[in-house]
Each structure stands twice: as C-alpha cells, then as structure tokens.
Amino acid sequence: MWPVLTLDFNIFSTNDSFHCVNGKYIPQRKTCNGVNDCGDQSDELCCKGCRGKSFLCKSGVCIPNKYKCNGEMDCITGEDEIGCKEKTELLTANMNAEETEFLTANMNAERKWIKSLLPKLSCGVKPRLPARRKRVIGGRPAEVGDFPWQVAIKENEKINCGGIYIGGCWILTAAHCVSISKVHRYQIWTSFLHWLRPEDDIIVQLAKQIIIHENYNGKTYENDIALIELKRRPNQKECVLPNSVPACVPWSPYLFQPNDRCTISGWGREKDNQKVYSLHWGEVNLIGNCSRFYPGRYFEKKMECAGMDDGSIDACQGDSGGPLVCKDVNNVTYVWGVVSWGENCGKSEFPGVYTKVANYFDWISHHIGRSLISQYNI
Ligand code: 4AZ
C-alpha cells in the first residue's frame, strides 16, 4: 500500500514540485488533473480530489472527464460508467465482419473492438434480485438463492468448514480446512441451507483433488488458502451445479478498501458458542491497519480484517473457509476474503481475519486457468 496521504492532492511532493515514481519532476499543480504528466501515471494516483476537467475514481485515481460514460470502465471499480445514458456505442456497431480485415491505424478503436469479442465471464450476479433485508455471530438466516456461491464442506457427518464456488469444478476454501490425505472423505454440499432440514434439490459432490497453498503455515495462518476440484459425474465433461453461481475472483487488491461494507456467511458458531443449523449471514466493514489489533501476527499483503466496531457481527468456528464477499458499483459480487482466523469471536478488539483473495489471483489462475476467472486478459 502507498503511505498515508498528508497533502491535499498527492503524495511524494515538495511544496511546488512533484517527484514522479519514474524519477521525473513535474509542477505540483499538474498532479491529480487527469493528465498523465509523469508518463508513468504516478501523478494521478492517491488523489483526494481532482483538478480541472477530471473525475475522481473511488480508488483515488483521477481520469479525464471525457472517459466518463465512454462505454469502457476506466476506474477499476467501474463508477465512471454508472448512471450513463445509453452511450455505450462500442465500436462493434460500426465494425462489421468485412471491415475487420481492413483495420485502420486507430489503435484505440481496434483495442476496444478486440475487447468486445472476448467471452463475457459470468460470475457474481444472482439470477434474481435479492430480497432487500437489512443486514455467523449476530447474523441472520439466509434464504434460498441469497448466497449461490456458498458451499458446505462435510467431513464425517459434520460441517467443519464453508467454501466458495468460483466457477468450473472449483471451490475455494481455507488451507486449514482440508488435508490432501482426506480427499476421499470430503463431501461438498451446494444449494444447501438448513442442516436438519436439507432441501430436496441439494447437490452433493465428491472431491477429486485438493490443492493447498505451498507456503501455507499452520502456525501463523499465512497463505491460508486451498482449492478443491470437484469430481465430474460419469459422462460429464463439465461440472454442472444447478442453482449455484460462482463469485468473481478479484484481480486487484485495490478493488475494495477499508470501511467498505461486505458480507460474511456460514454455518459457524453463534454467540455463547451455540451451534447453528441454518446458513447465517451478516454485514461487516473492512478494517485497515489491522496490526494494531494483532501486532506481529497480521500480514498486510496476505490477510484482510473485517468486523463491526462493537464486534456484534463476526465469523466464528465452523465459518472457516467460507466467504467474505463485497459488491462493486455494478452490483457484481467478489470473493474478497476467505474466513481464516481471529482471537475469539464477536470481540470488538479482535476482528475476524480473512485470507486476502486478490493477492492470490495469480496462484488461483495458475491452478484453474485464467480464462475461468477473469475477463481482464488483454
Ligand atoms: C475458527 O476457529 C475461527 N472471529 C474462525 C473465525 C474467527 C475465529 C475463529 C474470527 O474457525
């Protein structure tokens, strides 16, 4: 992460000149104006506001106003394309098949056209609108279809952990939830809400393969992340999981930030260590600077902290491996964290700690294939 901002607009500045990351100096007044004066864009990052004709993305980047509503997402979380009238005339409209053979020198048009041909990845969007209800420890029971990416990992007739469906035959979970030698013992339950009252259409799958992060450390919980590949049914090339929807895998650690409100879900313990039989969920805030709660035990790049100031909503034993999901401005759901650890449950001074999935994007795509999890491949 960048250092904390101290000046009005950008960092790395002396009074009247700005030191670009590439070593160049530019006048301070040229920072945060939507123009790439440094040449490496560093003058447009970490802005608190934007000068002149430019627009401030949620991520602190200034982009030129003309990029707003141009049919392409320029802010990483897409807010430059929100609330636009149908202005999205992608160049496909005036580029038919014959014309493609005579591509002009207009590189930008060509790039947009190629991008429009890419397969659209389908993740993070539920087939129907979720019921609008406000708001695990302090959680509420979920209803059918609320968490179509949530799975339960059953071992010896017990649900020990949750998991997250991320597409194809793949489930993401915590490394501490699984062991390679027990691969034959796990059952993955999808479309499942209530432990004592399983729905008729519950799907039970077996595990074909378990991949645990090679640097998982069971003492410190560093790299607490694993993948489960589901067994395909006989005669089936692909995994078919009716009623399940994969959560999107975040490709950038800047997609969501401290104070963003996200959601946890699981079959874990309630207050006073009570057992829970139905899937519960609750909203929590992402928390920055978590080392203050866990000095020496919190690893910024690998972990994420989330909770409420009063500790009223939290993950607990049994929720491990399950999802912390966040929605972007387009209402697309990303798996931002995997429930990993925490000191106790529901204590304000000890928020829940999650594996920071965005920083494992390369690890996940290495194992399951990039085309399965990302549309951002050009
Ligand atoms: C556990 O034991 C556990 N409050 C999971 C999450 C938290 C604590 C413990 C966070 O699986």
Side-chain angles (χ1 to χ4, degrees):
M1 255 299 196
W2 298 93
V4 176
L5 292 175
T6 47
L7 289 156
D8 267 0
F9 282 95
N10 213 319
I11 53 170
F12 305 135
S13 45
T14 58
N15 274 351
D16 48 11
S17 73
F18 174 81
H19 189 183
C20 306
V21 170
N22 61 12
K24 194 173 159 182
Y25 285 90
I26 62 165
Q28 183 64 250
R29 64 187 155 77
K30 291 200 164 184
T31 60
C32 297
N33 63 355
V35 180
N36 178 11
D37 297 282
C38 285
D40 61 5
Q41 208 86 39
S42 56
D43 54 316
E44 303 305 319
L45 305 177
C46 305
C47 301
K48 281 185 170 176
C50 296
R51 302 172 211 268
K53 293 178 182 159
S54 63
F55 172 80
L56 181 66
C57 299
K58 214 175 123 194
S59 57
V61 176
C62 290
I63 60 166
N65 273 348
K66 65 180 180 198
Y67 286 4
K68 271 170 71 181
C69 298
N70 67 348
E72 242 193 313
M73 270 173 39
D74 297 284
C75 298
I76 55 168
T77 37
E79 57 274 23
D80 54 312
E81 298 299 319
I82 294 294
C84 306
K85 288 209 195 96
E86 267 323 304
K87 210 180 156 189
T88 323
E89 81 273 328
L90 265 179
L91 287 137
T92 20
N94 43 24
M95 238 184 201
N96 59 33
E98 290 92 40
E99 281 171 324
T100 62
E101 292 178 15
F102 307 104
L103 282 174
T104 63
N106 185 341
M107 295 297 282
N108 200 35
E110 192 175 329
R111 186 182 52 76
K112 283 189 182 180
W113 178 76
I114 292 171
K115 220 169 153 187
S116 75
L117 295 180
L118 285 174
K120 293 280 170 288
L121 192 76
S122 166
C123 64
V125 181
K126 292 185 226 175
R128 63 177 176 82
L129 281 177
R132 271 306 284 160
R133 276 173 281 106
K134 271 271 174 195
R135 344 168 266 158
V136 199
I137 280 183
R140 293 185 155 198
E143 288 183 11
V144 176
D146 279 351
F147 297 93
W149 35 80
Q150 172 90 49
V151 310
I153 301 177
K154 229 172 128 235
E155 184 193 343
N156 301 337
E157 298 311 309
K158 275 199 316 208
I159 296 180
N160 284 337
C161 278
I164 309 113
Y165 178 52
I166 53 168
C169 294
W170 294 97
I171 306 293
L172 192 65
T173 188
H176 82 261
C177 282
V178 283
S179 91
I180 289 171
S181 60
K182 291 190 195 161
V183 61
H184 305 294
R185 284 203 220 161
Y186 298 118
Q187 285 187 354
I188 316 303
W189 286 33
T190 58
S191 310
F192 162 70
L193 283 186
H194 205 286
W195 187 213
L196 300 176
R197 177 164 54 75
E199 324 291 314
D200 290 337
D201 53 2
I202 167 179
I203 314 278
V204 179
Q205 314 253 344
L206 299 176
K208 177 183 171 196
Q209 186 194 178
I210 307 247
I211 303 171
I212 294 178
H213 196 285
E214 52 284 5
N215 297 326
Y216 166 57
N217 183 330
K219 289 200 182 108
T220 61
Y221 279 52
E222 284 167 275
N223 308 304
D224 189 12
I225 193 164
L227 284 162
I228 303 176
E229 185 180 9
L230 302 174
K231 260 192 189 153
R232 288 169 190 76
R233 295 187 186 268
N235 308 325
Q236 275 187 343
K237 273 201 202 127
E238 289 173 19
C239 288
V240 185
L241 296 176
N243 305 325
S244 288
V245 174
C248 301
V249 178
W251 69 95
S252 158
Y254 300 105
L255 273 184
F256 300 98
Q257 277 147 27
N259 298 323
D260 280 350
R261 184 149 287 195
C262 299
T263 305
I264 52 174
S265 48
W267 288 271
R269 298 272 168 164
E270 251 289 1
K271 255 201 181 106
D272 311 319
N273 214 20
Q274 280 174 44
K275 271 197 174 171
V276 168
Y277 294 98
S278 65
L279 180 65
H280 273 53
W281 65 283
E283 289 182 334
V284 286
N285 296 326
L286 302 185
I287 299 173
N289 184 18
C290 207
S291 298
R292 66 196 143 123
F293 303 109
Y294 296 113
R297 298 161 68 191
Y298 181 78
F299 298 86
E300 186 78 35
K301 285 233 165 84
K302 300 168 178 168
M303 298 174 183
E304 179 69 274
C305 256
M308 301 305 274
D309 285 345
D310 59 359
S312 56
I313 300 179
D314 193 11
C316 200
Q317 193 190 342
D319 292 320
S320 277
L324 163 73
V325 294
C326 309
K327 275 190 194 175
D328 73 4
V329 284
N330 298 309
N331 260 342
V332 174
T333 301
Y334 288 85
V335 50
W336 191 248
V338 175
V339 179
S340 179
W341 64 278
E343 194 71 51
N344 298 313
C345 303
K347 296 257 187 304
S348 57
E349 65 276 30
F350 295 118
V353 184
Y354 301 77
T355 311
K356 198 177 199 139
V357 176
N359 283 331
Y360 294 89
F361 181 89
D362 287 340
W363 182 80
I364 296 169
S365 52
H366 169 75
H367 289 289
I368 82 171
R370 190 168 173 130
S371 60
L372 208 56
I373 57 169
S374 177
Q375 50 190 301
Y376 297 95
N377 46 10
I378 62 165

